[in-house]
Amino acid sequence: MLSRYDGVGGYDWIAIPLIPYFYAVERLEDVPLFADAKIVAFRRDLYRRKYLMDVVPDLPNGETPGRN
């Protein structure tokens, strides 16, 4: 679930649930015991591709967009 809040403090905000935000998984029991930067980037991209493609699409060359 995404929520959009526009005009809050002069900014446009998008809110997502904390578990997906912190861990890039849907359920708490899916949180990995260990992760490194490569695993975190991979899991975040999987979540983005599943739920956020309309908001954060791939780059024209098919690659994952940068952080911002």
Side-chain angles (χ1 to χ4, degrees):
M1 176 171 94
L2 287 173
S3 297
R4 180 177 179 220
Y5 303 93
D6 61 336
V8 177
Y11 295 97
D12 196 10
W13 298 82
I14 295 179
I16 70 170
L18 286 176
I19 298 300
Y21 177 76
F22 286 130
Y23 304 108
V25 296
E26 296 176 56
R27 303 174 317 148
L28 195 55
E29 52 270 11
D30 294 333
V31 174
L33 292 176
F34 301 97
D36 60 15
K38 195 172 187 177
I39 292 171
V40 170
F42 175 75
R43 294 190 70 94
R44 285 182 177 165
D45 192 48
L46 286 178
Y47 189 88
R48 177 191 67 87
R49 290 175 184 277
K50 186 172 183 180
Y51 296 106
L52 303 173
M53 284 294 281
D54 291 339
V55 180
V56 187
D58 287 341
L59 296 175
N61 62 4
E63 292 182 5
T64 300
R67 291 191 166 263
N68 292 327

